[in-house]
């Protein structure tokens, strides 16, 4: 099947039910996309499919024909990081960092839909992204900061 | 190893190290330094001054041997070295280095000595020194017990200062300008006229002279990096998807493996793998201890295939049903299971002859489950074994692998990796052993074993299960007597037993946080009872204090309320250690303690000392129609000196989230011998919508420098329970709390 990953057309020969997570990690070597639970409970595997944040562990390969897939590697525009990444660095959010690619992909989608999210919006939208290290206070602050950076352009 | 060494090795214990009687080393054995492991691999023009610094013509490498499992110790270690070497971030690489006895942990022995942290008496000092000697002679390279910072603080600053002074001396030889006229700055020796000679250009010169051991440390007032907010060395990589973890490592020719091991921890009595063998990408099905492994060309295919193996599992070597685990704990408050009476002050029996306040508490098994599932790559050849994984006990890992492959431990190479969390999980060896067992069956082939989350849950060695019974008395508005009995399985004995180590003497982790409280209660008795091994357990972030701290501070709160006293004021009155007083005063001020809370709101306080660090927490909750909402947490911790303020705040916030989340909604229960919880749907900990604001203050009284990874955890659960009592009048005496109250 064929789809686009970070703007690059890719073709893979895999079982139709292989989740996108493993297509990306084991077939294409894109490792920012993390395996955490495999059952849509942690959000570590979050990517954008046609611009929407989705759990790649739940997306069978055969549902992706022609899809535009973006991983954290593709969120930046060339050398310029996405505002979410800049805010994540400024707030030093990561501890182990294992959840953070998924957190940032989810947060980027939140900000695309809600430019000025309230704490309640953040709770709603980020609730599926588990951080076992407990970086939630910093994630919250970084999302507000990223929103401000995006508004200021 | 000598007989003395053997005794000592068997007597070593993480977290509650206790010396077997009569272990002694000759002075020479103790003083003799370990070899510098960097000497062996020096390339042309490279120089090393000690095991932490390598300078070559192209680059400077700092060795940060403490494992980084997310707590930020790679950065912390590098900052200590860079401060003294006058290096700027970006001017050096970091490496975990090879396992070596030179990286023995100087703090762990001290922390494990069973004396109050404030005790500077002869017995306490002698024991700490002796335990340090054990750690050194045996070359115990261990990351754990919140010891990375105390172990590194003096040692790495000294190492950095020696490197700096030796490079300055090399500059003197090069230029013939006296060294007191040369400055070291930003990775270079600077001449009086401003000419800069980068360290890298001085490496060959420096290699010809002995290290300058007489190297003064930089005074605190001149610190550029220590105690300052610096950007973590890994923060950009972790914010751009560039940070590789063990699970991301790829080795040429690598195959992917998955296992299923008896979830009852018994034997494999039979299996049928015919379906698995015919699945796409599967190259092999092999047996491992108590289970089967599938080898395939992709992780997911290995998962699918191993799940298709039909396995017959033997029974559990422990009670099959959870109720029987609790019954065994409850039946352990007996004379013959008394592990030790830890405190006996005043006359408890007399003090409890009148009106007595009684309560019983429970803490369940809880899983570790860092977000990166366990994984390891192992390649076995005739010459040795190579391992890629993140691990906190590198030299034990070498032994464990060598015991399977038949090599000597030093023929095992470990490429230590950044880990996606640990919380105690990466002190264990099962995944490494299993990967090795598969790899020995396919010599020369790198085998990458990745646990499915469900397997990780099934094979996790959870936190100890325990109960406490408290009896106490109050009079005249004061707490007068407290008699606490704690019965728990010994996670330390369970954990050490798996690597063939004994734990002699009593296990100080069973009553941790209670036996060592910095309070002067007139009549105070603490007895610990060792429940015989049930399900195997392990160190879980903050170990014994994670459960016993809840028992002790909950019961104290009940006594304070019975006395009609103010929970914070009474704790302050009872506190005898200035560090404990300082953290209590800090949270009183931060939280505005004493104000009238809004309707349906309540504030609770708890203070627990663990790993030598007193931490006080005040929590404000609100009882809403949807359940309890945790609004704010105010935390103060005394660590002597805050070495890395960013990591400090992050660790405290994370520790509070960890403590609260598991207290609210996590437990592991057994049915039919198997853990009932198999993924984050039934054991998720805290999520963002429950996460409170968390204000953090580091109190620096300037004494011993301590670590902060674990100490914020123990006060969280009792502070929450005490706050819920203040808001609702309901006492929570068992975790997880969501069995009794709803949370928003
Ligand atoms: S791995 Fe997809 S949600 Fe956890
Ligand atoms: S930073 Fe470790 S799981 Fe989120």
């Amino acid at each position: 099947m064929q789809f686009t990953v970070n703007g690059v057309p890719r073709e893979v020969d895999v079982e139709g039910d292989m989740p996108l997570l493993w297509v990306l990690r084991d077939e294409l070597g894109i490792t920012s996309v993390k395996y955490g639970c495999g059952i849509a409970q942690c959000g570590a595997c979050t990517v954008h499919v046609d611009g929407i944040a989705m759990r790649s562990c739940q997306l069978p390969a055969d549902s992706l024909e022609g899809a535009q897939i973006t991983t954290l590697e593709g969120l930046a525009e060339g050398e310029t990081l996405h505002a979410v990444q800049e805010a994540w660095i400024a707030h030093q959010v990561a501890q182990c960092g294992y959840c953070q690619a998924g957190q940032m992909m989810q947060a980027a989608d939140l900000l695309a839909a809600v430019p000025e999210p309230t704490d309640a919006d953040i709770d709603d939208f980020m609730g599926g992204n588990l951080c076992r290290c407990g970086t939630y206070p910093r994630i919250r602050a970084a999302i507000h900061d990223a929103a401000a950076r995006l508004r200021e352009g | 190893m000598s007989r003395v060494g053997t005794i000592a090795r068997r007597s070593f214990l993480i977290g509650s190290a206790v010396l077997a009687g009569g272990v002694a080393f000759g002075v020479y054995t103790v003083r003799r330094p370990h070899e510098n492991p960097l000497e062996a691999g020096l390339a042309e023009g490279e120089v090393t001054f000690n095991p932490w610094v390598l300078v070559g013509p192209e680059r400077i490498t700092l060795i940060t041997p403490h494992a980084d499992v997310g707590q930020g110790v790679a950065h912390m270690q590098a900052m200590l070295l860079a401060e003294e070497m006058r290096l700027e971030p970006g001017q050096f690489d970091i490496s975990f280095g090879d396992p070596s006895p030179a990286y023995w942990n100087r703090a762990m022995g001290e922390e494990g000595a069973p004396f109050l942290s404030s005790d500077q008496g002869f017995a306490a000092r002698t024991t700490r020194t002796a335990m340090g000697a054990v750690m050194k002679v045996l070359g115990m390279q261990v990351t754990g017990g919140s010891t990375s910072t105390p172990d590194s603080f003096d040692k790495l600053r000294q190492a950095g200062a020696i490197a700096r002074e030796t490079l300055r001396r090399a500059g003197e030889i090069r230029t013939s300008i006296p060294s007191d006229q040369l400055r070291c700055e930003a990775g270079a020796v600077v001449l009086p006229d401003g000419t800069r000679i980068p360290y890298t250009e001085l490496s060959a010169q420096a290699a010809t002279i002995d290290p300058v051991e007489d190297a003064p440390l930089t005074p605190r007032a001149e610190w550029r990096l220590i105690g300052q907010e610096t950007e973590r060395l890994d923060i950009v990589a972790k914010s751009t998807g560039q940070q590789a973890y063990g699970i991301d490592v790829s080795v040429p020719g690598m195959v992917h493996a998955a296992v299923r091991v008896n979830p009852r921890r018994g034997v494999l009595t039979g299996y049928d793998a015919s379906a698995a063998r015919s699945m796409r990408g599967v190259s092999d099905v092999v047996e491992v201890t108590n289970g089967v492994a599938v080898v395939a060309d992709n992780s997911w295919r290995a998962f699918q295939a191993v799940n298709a193996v039909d396995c017959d599992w033997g029974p559990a070597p422990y009670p099959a049903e959870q109720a029987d685990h609790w019954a065994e704990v409850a039946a352990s408050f007996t004379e013959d299971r008394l592990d030790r009476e830890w405190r006996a002050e005043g006359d408890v029996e007399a003090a409890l002859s009148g009106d007595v306040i009684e309560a019983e508490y429970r803490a369940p098994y809880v899983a570790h489950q860092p977000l990166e599932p366990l994984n390891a790559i192992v390649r076995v050849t005739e010459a040795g074994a190579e391992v890629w994984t993140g691990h906190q006990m590198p030299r034990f890992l070498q032994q464990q692998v060598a015991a399977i492959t038949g090599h000597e431990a030093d023929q095992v190479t470990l490429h230590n990796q950044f880990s996606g969390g640990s919380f105690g999980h990466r002190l264990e060896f099962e995944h490494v052993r299993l990967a090795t067992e598969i790899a020995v069956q396919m010599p020369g082939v790198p085998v990458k074993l990745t646990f499915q989350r469900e397997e990780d849950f099934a094979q996790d060695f959870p936190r100890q299960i325990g109960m406490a019974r408290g009896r106490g008395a109050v009079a005249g508005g004061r707490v007068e007597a407290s008699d606490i009995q704690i019965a728990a399985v010994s996670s330390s004995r369970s954990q050490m037993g798996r690597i063939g180590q004994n734990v002699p003497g009593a296990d100080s982790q069973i009553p941790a946080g209670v036996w060592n409280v910095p309070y002067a209660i007139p009549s105070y008795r603490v007895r610990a009872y060792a429940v015989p091994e049930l399900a195997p357990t392990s160190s879980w972030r903050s170990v014994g204090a994670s459960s016993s701290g809840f028992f002790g501070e909950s019961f104290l709160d009940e006594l304070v309320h019975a006395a009609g006293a103010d929970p914070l004021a009474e704790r302050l009155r009872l506190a005898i250690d200035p560090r404990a007083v300082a953290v209590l005063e800090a949270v009183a001020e931060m939280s505005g303690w004493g104000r009238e809370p809004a309707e349906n709101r309540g504030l609770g306080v708890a203070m627990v000392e663990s790993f030598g660090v007193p931490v006080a927490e005040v929590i404000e909750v609100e009882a809403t129609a949807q359940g309890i909402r945790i609004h704010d947490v105010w935390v103060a911790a005394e660590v002597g000196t805050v070495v890395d303020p960013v990591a400090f705040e992050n660790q405290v916030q994370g520790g509070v989230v960890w403590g609260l989340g598991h207290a609210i909604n996590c437990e592991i229960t057994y049915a039919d011998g198997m853990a009932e919880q198999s993924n984050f749907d039934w054991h998720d900990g805290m999520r963002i919508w429950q996460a409170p604001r968390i204000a953090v203050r580091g109190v620096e009284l300037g004494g011993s420098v301590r670590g902060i990874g674990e100490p914020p955890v123990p006060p969280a659960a009792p502070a929450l329970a005490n706050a819920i009592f203040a808001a609702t009048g309901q006492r929570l005496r068992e975790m997880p709390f969501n069995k009794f109250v709803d949370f928003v």
Side-chain angles (χ1 to χ4, degrees), chain A residues 13 15 19 25-27 34-37 41 85 92 95-98 127 130 132-133 136 138 140, chain B residues 230 232 238-239 245 247-248 280 298-299 301 368-369 453 649-651 653-654 662 679 686-687:
Chain A
D13 165 27
E15 299 86 319
R25 286 185 57 81
D26 280 14
E27 300 294 315
K34 298 298 193 233
Y35 168 55
C37 69
Q41 290 293 315
Q85 293 174 297
Q92 305 223 43
Q95 288 188 31
C96 83
Y98 194 79
L130 199 57
R132 295 288 287 157
C133 297
Y136 301 125
R138 297 179 118 75
R140 192 182 292 284
Chain B
T230 52
R232 255 175 90 143
K238 286 180 173 176
S239 306
Y245 303 83
I247 202 169
D248 302 325
R280 178 172 167 183
N298 160 308
S299 309
R301 291 189 182 120
H368 298 85
Q369 296 309 303
R453 177 59 63 192
E649 186 184 76
N650 220 335
Q651 285 301 298
Q653 290 175 333
H662 292 88
N679 210 318
M686 186 166 269
R687 289 185 179 271

Side-chain angles (χ1 to χ4, degrees), chain B residues 114-356:
Chain B
F115 294 90
L116 295 180
S117 64
S118 57
D119 187 346
Q120 294 301 325
F122 178 75
R125 281 185 290 124
T126 311
T127 305
R128 288 185 192 121
T129 304
M131 298 195 50
V134 173
M135 297 293 294
K136 178 177 179 185
V137 172
L138 302 177
M140 292 290 183
Q141 184 187 355
V142 181
T143 301
S146 295
T147 59
S148 297
T149 300
D151 174 41
S152 304
F153 185 64
D154 288 341
K155 181 167 78 180
L156 297 193
R157 287 189 301 145
Q158 278 156 4
I162 288 168
R164 179 194 71 222
E165 292 308 317
T166 311
L167 288 159
R168 191 204 305 263
R169 172 89 182 106
E172 176 177 19
I173 295 170
R174 167 78 61 87
T175 62
S176 302
I177 299 172
S179 63
D180 60 6
Q181 294 176 33
L182 300 173
R183 282 182 299 127
C184 289
E185 188 188 273
V189 173
V190 184
L191 276 45
D193 67 0
T195 307
R196 302 169 57 81
I197 311 177
Y199 293 159
T200 43
E201 287 177 19
L202 288 167
S203 64
Q205 196 100 50
T208 64
I209 55 176
D210 284 337
V212 177
E213 299 289 339
D214 180 19
L217 295 182
T218 304
R220 181 172 182 154
E222 292 168 25
W223 283 346
R224 303 163 298 124
L225 302 170
I226 303 171
Q228 316 299 315
E229 294 204 356
T230 52
E231 184 176 290
R232 255 175 90 143
L233 292 169
D234 56 6
I235 204 72
V236 172
K238 286 180 173 176
S239 306
T240 53
Q242 299 307 305
Q243 177 68 56
Y245 303 83
I247 202 169
D248 302 325
V249 174
S250 185
V251 177
M254 178 176 90
V255 294
H256 296 263
V259 291
R260 274 171 68 216
V261 173
N262 188 334
R264 301 192 190 104
R265 305 180 194 278
V267 298
L268 172 73
T269 53
Y271 68 98
D272 174 2
S274 46
R277 283 182 198 281
S278 64
M279 290 169 75
R280 178 172 167 183
V282 172
S283 55
D284 217 342
V285 177
V286 299
E287 286 187 39
V288 291
T289 302
N290 298 337
V292 290
V294 165
V295 180
D297 61 358
N298 160 308
S299 309
W300 178 78
R301 291 189 182 120
F303 292 173
Q304 298 301 104
V306 84
N307 292 345
V309 179
D310 203 3
C311 296
D312 295 322
W313 306 125
Y318 47 81
E321 304 303 324
Q322 185 62 33
D324 296 320
H325 292 236
W326 284 119
E328 190 67 33
V329 178
S332 294
F333 295 90
T334 59
E335 208 46 49
D336 62 317
R337 290 186 180 176
L338 180 67
D339 202 43
R340 179 167 166 181
E341 180 170 88
W342 286 88
R343 296 281 286 268
E345 282 142 33
D347 187 343
V348 171
E349 295 299 340
L352 294 177
S353 58
D355 285 345
V356 171

Side-chain angles (χ1 to χ4, degrees), chain B residues 93-114:
Chain B
D93 297 331
I94 59 171
S95 163
F96 292 124
D98 291 329
S100 169
Y103 302 125
W104 66 280
N105 185 322
R106 300 182 187 191
M108 186 159 258
E110 282 199 18
E111 295 290 340

